[in-house]
Amino acid sequence: MSNMTSNEPIEPEPSAPLPAASTERQRAFRLVVGIACLLALLAVWQVLTSFVAYTDDAYVTTNFVTIAPQVTGVIVSVNVANDQEVRRGDLLAVIDKVPFQLVVDQRKAAVQEAAVNHKLVNDELKAAQDRLAAATAALQQASGDQKQVALTAADMVSAQQREQVAAREAVDKASQSVVNQDAVAAQAKAALALAEWQLSQTEIHTPADGTVNNLSVSVGDTASAGKALVGIVDAAGWRIVANYKENYIRSLKPGKAAWVWLDTHPWRLYRARIEGVSRGISRGPNQDGILPYVAPTTDWIRLGRRFPVTLKLADPPSDLTLYMGSDASTLIFP
């Protein structure tokens, strides 16, 4: 009988199932390997963070100078534009001077009047002192004559004594008038000085180099004393504030070198140095605001407490422009 080739496919024989004990061993092996990898990563992370202190919770800041006028009045000119760079002493705005000049003129007239009255009371005092001197001399003369003539001269002495008493009272009264007028003159001079100072405050000058920020004042607006009118981003106080976890700060000391990544100028690291480490933070956001508050949560995840560390760029490039409030990242090798 001849051999014939069949076209039917040949099914592979089914493999024998692995024993249950072998499957459990594989699962246990994979679990052990996974735990070992996690422990290794944790160990590497602990070693790495003991040599490198990194945070991306950092930002650029500087002093923000809030300029408020010292007097209330209508603004008659605004001498700067928004985002304009200014130098210390530059004129920012002018308040209407007329009302303040009128007060100065009034105070000058009061000072002049006080000076005239002061001269009058001084003249009265001088005259009263002359009368007292004359009465005293007359009394001394009458007393000497009484010793040489009859006792009837006693009436003359008594009259001279009364005249001396009256002259002394006149001197005391004139002296008190001089004291009072001195006070009036001093008050008039102080009022004039205040009026002149208020007049000088109608010109608002910038107290620091910087950039005008968010200018919203216009001619015709009313400037109120003590109310912020213009804000200046200080050009001299630039720094980086980096919030570091508690376990880092013990090894961060002033003067230690650091590296800064600026989000406004990416792909470059800038050298910096630690200026200081905050010695205290607020535990809650609703306190007086004097202590810094760093939120301990992010995306519903609670983090460890973080403390602000202040960094200062070392020899920044002259063309580097910093922006208050921009993000940064910092790297320090403890």
Side-chain angles (χ1 to χ4, degrees):
M1 186 173 180
S2 61
N3 294 334
M4 298 181 64
T5 303
S6 175
N7 293 327
E8 295 181 358
I10 301 176
E11 296 182 358
E13 294 183 1
S15 58
L18 294 174
S22 177
T23 302
E24 291 298 328
R25 284 196 298 271
Q26 291 179 358
R27 290 178 179 175
F29 177 75
R30 287 195 293 267
L31 179 61
V32 170
V33 171
I35 294 175
C37 289
L38 289 176
L39 292 175
L41 289 175
L42 181 61
V44 170
W45 173 255
Q46 291 296 328
V47 172
L48 181 62
T49 54
S50 63
F51 293 98
V52 178
Y54 169 81
T55 182
D56 59 358
D57 185 10
Y59 58 92
V60 180
T61 189
T62 184
N63 301 322
F64 188 71
V65 184
T66 302
I67 302 171
Q70 300 297 311
V71 295
T72 298
V74 177
I75 296 174
V76 294
S77 71
V78 177
N79 301 75
V80 293
N82 197 33
D83 301 326
Q84 176 182 333
E85 292 187 1
V86 292
R87 304 288 292 178
R88 181 175 182 177
D90 285 354
L91 183 64
L92 300 176
V94 178
I95 297 174
D96 188 6
K97 297 176 179 289
V98 173
F100 300 95
Q101 183 62 60
L102 292 175
V103 174
V104 169
D105 295 341
Q106 183 182 22
R107 300 303 185 213
K108 286 182 177 179
V111 169
Q112 292 176 352
E113 181 181 3
V116 171
N117 292 335
H118 191 273
K119 184 177 185 306
L120 290 176
V121 296
N122 270 293
D123 290 344
E124 291 177 0
L125 175 61
K126 180 66 168 58
Q129 290 172 338
D130 291 342
R131 289 194 297 271
L132 176 60
T136 301
L139 177 60
Q140 292 174 348
Q141 180 66 34
S143 298
D145 293 342
Q146 184 184 10
K147 296 177 181 179
Q148 301 176 6
V149 300
L151 294 177
T152 55
D155 294 337
M156 181 184 300
V157 173
S158 179
Q160 296 297 338
Q161 288 176 337
R162 289 194 296 272
E163 184 176 349
Q164 185 190 43
V165 170
R168 183 173 287 109
E169 290 177 350
V171 169
D172 293 341
K173 183 178 180 180
S175 297
Q176 186 60 48
S177 296
V178 170
V179 171
N180 294 339
Q181 195 56 44
D182 284 343
V184 171
Q187 186 176 10
K189 291 178 180 179
L192 174 60
L194 176 60
E196 291 176 336
W197 176 80
Q198 290 176 331
L199 176 61
S200 70
Q201 295 303 305
T202 56
E203 293 187 354
I204 304 172
H205 297 265
T206 176
D209 298 347
T211 305
V212 178
N213 189 74
N214 196 27
L215 182 68
S216 59
V217 62
S218 303
V219 173
D221 290 345
T222 298
S224 299
K227 185 176 180 180
L229 188 67
V230 181
I232 302 293
V233 177
D234 189 5
W238 290 106
R239 56 195 181 273
I240 314 297
V241 176
N243 297 316
Y244 273 98
K245 296 178 182 178
E246 292 172 299
N247 59 317
Y248 282 131
I249 60 175
R250 67 181 182 277
S251 58
L252 303 182
K253 305 297 182 182
K256 186 178 289 290
W259 295 93
V260 175
W261 168 289
L262 301 173
D263 284 16
T264 56
H265 299 76
W267 310 113
R268 178 174 177 180
L269 291 176
Y270 295 90
R271 291 190 304 109
R273 293 198 175 276
I274 298 177
E275 278 204 330
V277 179
S278 178
R279 294 295 297 274
I281 61 172
S282 173
R283 297 287 292 187
N286 298 321
Q287 297 187 16
D288 54 21
I290 297 177
L291 281 173
Y293 172 71
V294 184
T297 59
T298 177
D299 297 331
W300 303 101
I301 300 174
R302 183 170 183 82
L303 304 175
R305 293 288 174 178
R306 288 164 292 161
F307 285 74
V309 176
T310 303
L311 309 174
K312 192 71 174 286
L313 293 180
D315 301 323
S318 59
D319 58 347
L320 176 63
T321 302
L322 298 176
Y323 299 88
M324 187 177 182
S326 61
D327 289 327
S329 300
T330 61
L331 184 66
I332 304 173
F333 297 95

